[in-house]
Each structure stands twice: as structure tokens, then as C-alpha cells.
């Protein structure tokens, strides 16, 4: 959710409508500085109170009752041998426990048991260490020590395992005679482990070769001296029509890296469901997994056993090191405001975190610079010209907005600050919403006693707590007004410069032979250098992400002198030109890319025929707007677009039900429902419609679940034909489909066809993700495995 919740948007809309027309005109043309000043005057106490009420719907505080409930649910799933579900529930329990409580050690110990059963021995050891450091009960310690010794034994760390068993024996001897059945079971397990350890010591396993995986070809990379993270094959240019942009300074080949950039700031998108407080006195909490449960809130790495924040139940990290860095840089300010930030939306959260990472000194310097007044700022960059779109004549790169005094464009706060906020293009109502949102956020910072933290006047180790505020609720300190002005600038910038960090997320349980994935928006970020790329509906680049780092590669040959182009979302393969132009208006420009110009001039929209409705009688394409008519003049059949669109929605719901049946293990019923959906779709959708391809893909998934590899491959090949028709034979979408086909053919022992499919998938995916990506590594492992088969098997297949 980029913008605030609908209720807050509604309140600001009503407040805007109630303003005097003259005041609305003032606000519409106000500078950022004046807008913040007016916002402080216009924000009423009742608006602040209403926002506080909205925040109560989101629970980010520690809730011991919730922790107890989640732990009980985790124990239930553990008893059913559903270790993955138990792992997630124990993590939720740990995030709600109060720091230092003995219960949090129980959460870590229980989670270590789930990790052990899942085979994650190293992480299991980490949780055991956490349980011990948090005061795990002495009477239960032998069970955990036994698990520790077993983990070490499984990892082949025999000396460590022997030491752990020695500690356990000493503990048992100190505690005295144990006669209960539980203790007897423990002693029996201890004896078994000692035997197993002795056997391993007598017959040590041969050392594995440290080959470090299959080595791919090295990538071409030489960093640009003037643009941080960019390839030396690029140069920074400016013209009045395109603004700042990157151009190839030499010929570029497909797959070549053009840019590697770490996000200046990123904020995890919470996902569709948020932690819910108890409703109506019922002690039930949300057990669904969201982005907040699955990824580190700082580095965005996938979580297995999260480290919870000590102050709130929302933030989770991959390690204590990540948690400590996040606390020092920004979370000590954000921690107590979690519900408010989730209510105001990701854009406000990104804006706040941006100024916290930049530091108040740099923020105030650039805000003052933007006013065009302070000529005595100390840094060399401050003596450059004031921000404007057009560079000084003859100034070269030094005259381009965002460059420092040496003409270098860095991935810095200065470059981020100079991204265009498009103040004049935003609607007055939208600016009013953003203005009130940042002002109320800054007032809450001040009311919570967090101003010193925002202004970097507080020790990073100090835990921020609500303090008595000397200011009245109607006043905002001059320093926080500066912060609010910078935040308002950043919220407006995000409309055109926000970059979605995406990840390929597994669909379903992820324990099948064929992994089905889809791209999911994981976070919203500012990438100052990546933001230099202009849009095209037929881009010549592909962007991939690893954590908070973006990598841009050439997706096709780019001759010297050609602009480097990125797709902002609307792509010629997915939308008609009218749809694309409509969506791109949010970026305040009219797209004049090659695809748009060709479609507008010719009047031919190729995507329409492929994703169109067809005549139920003669199967010809239907044409028109509200009323569709058969393109076959001899047929003359007509139908309402609204009616056919409703049929399409019903069909999509039936497909969803079929996939639910598959998840419930009812594969045969899923096949019947998908086949019925195909028959229904054939009556009104063109054979090349993307949904027809999706149904073939789903059928392939079902048959793969049943181990019917030939049938699965047959359906997936039909899906690939449609995907290629829409996205092109070298597209990333085709690459992903070929990857799945390679998995199916590999599992079905169709060796010759599998090898050729692996080769083609590798060629496509290496262009988009590089030769060292996880998918390429898996393809190479499959190829190596097939190549090692006996010659007579290879000849037969």
C-alpha cells in the first residue's frame, strides 16, 4: 500500500473540499516550504485523533497473549509433523514475547526442534544458542543439549559433538538420578548418540571436494569513473525532451551488466494481510505468512529463523547484526511508530527512512540550498548551482542536476534529493493528502519525544521512549518543519521514481519436483542512478534484484549512441497502446517510444488480437467497444463487452478453485475442473489468449504432481507457445517457462530433450539474470547430472 489507508484519504478529501477556494488556490501553487507551513496550520486536532483511532486497527506492540497463542498453535502443528508451519508460528510467537522474558527462550528452543526436523542444522544451532542466552530453564536444558550434539554430529563436527555430549553427561551427573520415562528416553538417546559418534570416529567420511559449485563464464564489468555503479560503456547526457538519461558510449551485447546499485533506502511492503488484534474478545490472531514474516526488514534476505525487534512485534531480521544496524540507522526512531507508518503507507515510510539515513545535517543543508538562499554552506557540493532541470551551458556533467562539483553522479542523498518531485504536475488534492500525512507524522515524532533521534542528537544505543514534549500539539519545531519539507519532497518524488524490488516467490508448498514461481513486489526503494533510466514500452534492458541490490543488464544488442531504456510497467506485449498511455500519465509524460509511435501511426495493435474475445459461433475475432461484433461479415454475431468480461472473471474464479483443489491434494478433481474451464474458455476466448496458456501451465503443474511427466511436458509446451507469442522467444517469461519444462523433462528422464531445453533456458535466463544466478546454477547441475549417465542410456533417450 503506497498511499495511506482509504479512511485517511477520505478525511483529507473532505477537508480539502471544505477549504475556502482562495486557500485552495494558495495551496495548489505553494512551494514545499509554504505547503508544510500551511499544513501545520490546517491540521486539526480531530484529524490527529481520527488517525490515532485508525492506527489502533494495526497491532505492532508486543502482545504476550498473542505469543502464548502462537506458541500453542506451533506446538499443535509440530505434533502433526507440519514443521514448516510450526517454524513460522514459533517465529510469530518470538516476535510478540517481551525481551528478557523466559518465554522467549522457549520460543527459540521450540523453533530449534522444528529446524532440526527440517534439516537446517546450522540455523538450529543458532536458535539453541539464543535459547541458552535468553535463560532457557535449567530443568529442560538436557533435551536442548542433546539436540545440539545431534546437530553437530549431522554436520560432521565430531569433536564439537563429543564436547557437547560431555557437557550433557556432566549436567546429568550434577542433577542426580533420573527415573521418569522422559529422562529414561533422554538417557537412551544419549547412549545411541555416543555409539553413533564412536562409529563415525572409527570410519570418518571422505572429505568432499570443495568445488564451490559449477563455475560459469565471467561477466564483463568495468565501473564508470563518473557514474557510481554504472558500466564504463555508459555516459550521462541531458536534453530538454528526455531530461537526464544514460546513453551507450560503445556497442553493448545482450546480457552485459550496465548497472549495479545498492538501494539508498528501501522499505519492505507488508503484504496483503497484517497482524490482526483480537476481535470481539476472541483470542485469535492472524496465522498467514506475509512479506513481514518471510523477509528481513533490513537486507530483504529470505528468513528462516527470524531475529525479532526487542521493541515491537513487526520488525524481524535475518541476524542480530542486521537488527543492530537497522536500530542504529533508523529503527530506533521508527520502532514505536509502526502502526502509524503502516497506516500512512509505504511512501511516507520511505520518506521518513530516507531523511533518517541521510542525517539531519545533510537534509537541512540541501533543503536550505533548494531555497536558493544559503551561499555559505561548507561542502564543495553546496557551492554548485541550485537545483533545476536544465544544466548550465558548457558546464558538462558538472551542470547536470545531482552531479557533484567534480561532475560525478553518485548514488547519494544529493542525487536522490535532485530527482524531480513534479510539484506543479501533481493534483492539488494529492499534494494536500501528502502534505497532511508528513505533517501529522512529524507531529507524532515530536509528541513521542523522538525529535532528538531524528536530528541525530541521541545515542544510537539509547532505546527511544515516549517523553514529555515541551511543544504544544499545534506547533512543530523549525527543525522538524525542515524534516517535513524534505519528506514531502520525497513522497512526491516517489510517484515517478519509486522502484519496486521484486522477488520470484514459490507458489504452493514448494516441496514438489517442479517449482512454480511468480514475481512478487517485496519492497519500495529509491535507486538514484537507476532512476536515470527513461521508460520505453519496448525496453532494451532487464532488471533483477538480490536483496536490496539492483542489477541492470542489456536484454538485446545496444549500439553506441542509443539510449538505455527501462520499462516502468506498461509493456507492449501486455497492453494496448491506449492502456499504456493512460497508465503512464501518472509519470507526467507522454510516451513516444518506438512501440507507441508505430502502433499509433499504423493503428495496428497486435496485442489485441492475441488477448481478444472470439465469436462463440464461428471463432472469428470480436471487435468494437461496448458492443462487440464478429469480424466475420457472414456471421453478424454481437455480444456485450461487459457480459464477456463477466464470463472471463467467472472463469478466473473457477481456475482459482481448481488450484485450491490441487493444494488440498485433490489432483484428479483439479484436472476435471481445469478441463471444464478450457472448454468454457474455448467458447469466447481466442486460442492465443494468455489465460489459455495459463490453464495449460496449471495442467502441467497438476500432472507433474502426479508424476505423469510426459503429460505435464505436453501441456507446458502449449503454454510456452502462447507465452512466446505474447512476450517473444528471448523474453524472461519464456525463460521461466523453459526452466519449468527442463525440470519436468529431467524428472521424466527425457534426456536428449531435457539437455536441449536446458541449453535454451540457460541462454535466455543468463541474459536477464547473469551466469551465476540460482536458476542457471540449477540448470547446470541438471545438465551435469544428465551428462554423467551411462552412454547406453543417453543413446536410448
Amino acid at each position: 500500500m503506497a498511499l495511506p489507508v482509504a479512511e485517511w484519504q477520505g478525511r483529507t478529501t473532505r477537508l480539502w473540499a471544505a477549504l475556502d477556494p482562495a486557500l485552495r488556490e494558495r495551496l495548489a501553487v505553494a512551494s514545499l516550504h509554504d505547503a508544510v507551513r500551511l499544513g501545520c496550520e490546517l491540521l486539526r486536532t480531530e484529524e490527529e485523533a481520527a488517525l490515532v483511532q485508525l492506527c489502533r486497527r494495526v497491532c505492532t506492540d508486543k502482545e504476550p497473549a498473542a505469543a502464548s497463542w502462537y506458541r500453542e498453535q506451533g506446538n499443535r502443528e509440530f505434533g502433526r509433523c507440519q514443521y514448516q508451519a510450526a517454524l513460522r508460528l514459533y517465529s510469530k510467537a518470538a516476535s510478540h514475547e517481551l525481551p528478557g522474558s523466559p518465554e522467549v527462550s522457549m520460543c527459540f528452543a521450540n523453533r530449534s526442534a522444528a529446524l532440526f526436523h527440517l534439516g537446517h542444522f546450522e540455523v538450529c544451532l543458532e536458535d539453541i544458542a539464543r535459547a541458552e542466552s535468553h535463560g532457557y530453564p535449567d530443568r529442560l536444558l538436557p533435551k536442548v543439549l542433546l539436540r545440539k550434539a545431534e546437530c553437530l554430529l549431522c554436520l560432521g563436527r565430531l569433536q564439537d559433538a563429543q564436547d557437547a555430549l560431555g557437557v550433557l553427561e556432566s549436567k546429568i551427573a550434577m542433577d542426580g538420578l533420573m527415573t521418569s520415562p522422559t529422562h529414561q528416553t533422554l538417557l537412551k538417546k544419549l547412549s545411541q548418540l555416543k555409539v553413533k559418534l564412536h562409529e563415525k570416529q572409527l570410519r570418518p567420511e571422505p572429505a568432499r571436494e570443495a568445488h564451490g559449485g559449477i563455475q560459469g563464464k565471467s561477466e564483463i564489468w568495468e565501473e564508470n569513473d563518473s557514474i557510481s555503479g554504472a558500466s564504463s560503456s555508459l555516459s550521462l547526457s541531458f536534453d530538454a525532451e528526455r531530461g537526464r538519461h544514460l546513453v551507450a558510449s560503445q556497442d553493448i551485447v545482450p546480457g552485459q551488466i550496465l548497472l549495479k546499485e545498492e538501494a539508498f533506502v528501501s522499505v519492505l511492503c507488508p503484504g496483503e494481510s497484517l497482524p490482526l488484534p483480537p476481535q470481539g474478545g476472541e483470542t485469535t490472531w492472524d496465522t498467514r505468512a506475509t512479506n513481514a514474516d518471510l523477509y528481513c526488514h533490513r537486507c530483504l534476505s529470505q528468513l528462516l529463523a527470524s531475529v525479532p525487534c526487542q521493541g515491537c512485534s513487526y520488525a524481524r531480521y535475518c541476524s542480530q547484526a542486521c537488527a543492530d544496524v537497522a536500530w542504529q540507522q533508523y529503527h530506533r526512531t521508527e520502532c514505536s511508530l509502526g502502526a502509524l507508518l503502516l497506516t500512512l503507507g509505504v511512501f511516507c515510510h520511505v520518506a521518513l527512512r530516507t531523511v533518517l539515513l541521510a542525517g539531519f545535517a545533510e537534509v537541512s543543508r540541501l533543503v536550505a540550498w533548494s531555497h536558493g538562499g544559503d551561499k555559505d554552506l561548507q561542502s564543495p557540493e553546496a557551492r554548485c548551482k541550485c537545483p533545476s532541470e536544465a544544466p548550465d551551458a558548457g558546464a558538462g556533467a558538472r551542470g547536470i542536476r545531482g552531479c557533484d562539483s567534480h561532475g560525478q553522479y553518485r548514488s547519494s542523498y544529493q542525487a536522490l534529493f535532485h530527482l524531480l518531485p513534479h510539484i506543479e504536475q501533481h493534483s492539488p488534492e494529492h499534494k494536500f493528502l501528502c502534505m497532511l500525512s508528513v505533517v501529522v507524522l512529524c507531529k507524532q515524532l515530536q509528541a513521542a519525544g523522538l525529535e532528538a533521534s531524528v536530528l541525530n542528537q541521541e545515542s544510537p544505543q539509547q532505546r527511544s521512549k515516549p517523553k514529555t514534549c515541551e511543544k504544544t500539539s499545534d506547533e512543530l519545531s523549525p527543525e522538524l518543519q525542515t524534516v517535513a519539507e524534505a519528506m514531502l519532497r520525497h513522497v512526491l518524488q516517489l510517484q515517478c521514481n519509486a522502484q519496486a524490488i521484486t522477488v520470484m516467490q514459490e507458489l504452493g508448498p514448494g516441496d514438489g519436483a517442479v517449482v512454480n514461481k511468480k514475481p512478487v513486489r517485496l519492497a519500495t526503494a529509491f535507486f538514484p542512478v537507476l532512476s536515470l533510466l527513461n521508460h520505453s514500452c519496448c525496453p532494451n534492458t532487464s532488471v533483477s534484484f538480490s536483496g536490496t541490490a539492483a542489477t541492470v543488464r542489456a536484454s538485446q544488442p545496444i549500439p553506441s549512441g542509443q539510449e538505455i531504456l527501462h520499462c516502468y510497467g506498461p509493456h507492449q506485449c501486455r497492453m494496448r497502446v491506449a492502456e499504456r498511455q493512460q497508465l503512464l500519465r501518472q509519470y507526467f509524460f507522454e510516451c513516444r517510444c518506438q512501440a507507441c509511435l508505430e502502433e499509433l501511426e499504423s493503428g495496428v495493435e497486435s496485442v489485441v488480437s492475441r488477448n481478444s474475445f472470439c465469436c462463440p459461433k464461428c471463432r472469428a475475432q470480436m471487435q468494437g467497444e461496448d458492443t462487440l461484433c464478429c469480424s466475420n461479415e457472414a456471421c453478424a454475431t454481437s455480444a456485450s463487452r461487459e457480459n464477456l468480461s463477466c464470463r472471463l472473471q467467472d472463469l478466473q474464479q473457477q481456475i482459482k478453485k481448481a488450484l485450491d483443489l490441487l493444494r488440498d491434494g485433490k489432483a484428479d478433481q483439479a484436472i476435471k475442473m481445469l478441463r471444464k474451464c478450457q472448454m468454457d474458455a474455448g467458447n469466447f476466448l481466442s486460442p492465443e489468449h494468455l489465460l489459455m496458456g495459463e490453464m495449460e501451465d496449471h495442467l502441467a503443474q497438476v500432472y507433474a504432481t502426479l508424476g505423469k511427466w510426459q503429460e505435464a511436458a505436453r501441456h507446458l509446451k502449449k503454454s510456452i507457445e502462447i507465452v512466446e507469442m505474447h512476450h517473444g522467444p528471448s523474453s524472461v517469461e519464456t525463460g521461466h517457462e523453459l526452466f519449468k519444462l527442463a525440470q519436468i523433462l529431467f524428472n521424466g528422464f527425457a534426456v536428449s530433450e531435457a539437455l536441449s531445453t536446458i541449453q535454451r533456458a540457460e541462454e535466455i535466463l543468463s541474459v536477464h539474470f547473469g551466469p551465476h544466478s540460482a536458476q542457471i546454477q540449477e540448470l547446470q547441475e541438471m545438465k551435469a547430472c544428465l551428462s554423467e549417465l551411462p552412454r547406453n542410456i543417453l543413446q536410448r533417450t
Side-chain angles (χ1 to χ4, degrees), residues 733-748:
E733 291 84 359
T734 299
H736 287 315
E737 290 296 296
L738 286 168
F739 178 80
K740 287 191 285 186
L741 180 60
Q743 289 179 313
I744 286 172
L745 294 170
F746 176 85
N747 285 287

Side-chain angles (χ1 to χ4, degrees), residues 497-502 521-525 527 530 543 545:
N497 294 286
Q499 175 64 54
I501 295 179
T502 58
R521 186 184 189 117
L522 181 57
T524 298
F527 289 91
L530 180 55
V543 183
F545 299 94

